[in-house]
Amino acid sequence: EYQAEVGEMSARAQGYIGTANAYIASANGYVAEANTRIARANQKYTWYDAQYAKLTAEYARGLAAIKGS
């Protein structure tokens, strides 16, 4: 009687573990997607930052030329 009950509990626990593992795998997929998007956003930010630096330097050179410095 107890063996049957323990076996049933074990089977139920295995089912819960399988469900939990499926949720974890799904969450890992979302994390991977978020990391990919963050990396891409970081690439864009780095590029925009470099463009801003170039334009700022170009503006400063042009302003200096107009002022005759």
Side-chain angles (χ1 to χ4, degrees):
E1 179 179 328
Y2 290 115
Q3 274 186 328
E5 191 174 334
V6 168
E8 185 181 317
M9 286 183 187
S10 178
R12 204 175 305 152
Q14 289 298 319
Y16 293 145
I17 290 169
T19 300
N21 284 336
Y23 285 128
I24 289 168
S26 178
N28 285 338
Y30 287 120
V31 169
E33 174 68 20
N35 285 336
T36 300
R37 290 181 183 202
I38 289 168
R40 181 65 182 134
N42 190 45
Q43 286 176 340
K44 285 183 178 182
Y45 173 79
T46 302
W47 184 84
Y48 285 124
D49 189 47
Q51 295 305 306
Y52 176 76
K54 288 178 188 178
L55 289 173
T56 301
E58 187 177 331
Y59 174 78
R61 283 193 306 270
L63 193 57
I66 290 171
K67 288 183 175 181
S69 298

